[in-house]
Amino acid sequence: AVVSTQSTGVTDVQKIKENYMATQDFSFDLAAVLPLCISYGVAMEIYQHTTYLLTGRPVEASMIKNILIGEATLRLFKLAKFYSMRRFFESFGSRTNSPGVMRAFCLIVYLLLSIHWVA
């Protein structure tokens, strides 16, 4: 929510957009939604094919291992969503009439997320 200097809510979409894009949250959200692992995989496929075409040899197994480690590292950017989700739960929990229900909901979401990551 954007609040002006007079402590009133701002409804101008342009001002809200400019304020959001100037925050660090925008960087986190942008990193979380970009399909970095897909673009990295495509770039590595192109690299493998061009290496094979230029040298006549396939890419070594150690290089493929490094490619997979790099792809897994790029998936860590998805954790930026966790930061946004936590901030939402904190701000929404303080505005609700039943914070106990909100805490229980947060616990269930965190448990399901943990189960998803382990699976």
Side-chain angles (χ1 to χ4, degrees), residues 46-114:
I46 293 170
Y47 171 75
Q48 285 179 337
H49 289 296
T50 54
T51 302
Y52 181 73
L53 290 174
L54 294 175
T55 63
R57 296 177 300 164
V59 177
E60 299 173 8
S62 62
M63 184 63 186
I64 292 175
K65 180 182 176 186
N66 291 339
I67 290 170
L68 294 176
I69 290 172
E71 186 176 349
T73 305
L74 285 176
R75 290 182 186 168
L76 290 176
F77 284 111
K78 299 296 179 188
L79 290 177
K81 290 180 183 179
F82 186 76
Y83 170 75
S84 298
M85 183 177 70
R86 184 171 178 195
R87 263 201 30 231
F88 168 75
F89 284 155
E90 288 174 359
S91 66
F92 191 73
S94 64
R95 297 178 187 159
T96 185
N97 291 334
S98 53
V101 173
M102 188 63 192
R103 278 189 230 119
F105 176 73
C106 292
L107 178 64
I108 291 169
V109 169
Y110 289 144
L111 286 172
L112 290 174
L113 186 62
S114 300

Side-chain angles (χ1 to χ4, degrees), residues 9-36:
V10 176
T11 57
D12 183 20
V13 177
Q14 186 65 27
K15 286 184 181 180
I16 293 172
K17 181 181 110 177
E18 289 171 2
N19 183 43
Y20 174 64
M21 291 180 77
T23 63
Q24 188 178 17
D25 296 341
F26 177 72
S27 303
F28 281 130
D29 293 340
L30 185 65
V33 299
L34 288 177
L36 295 174

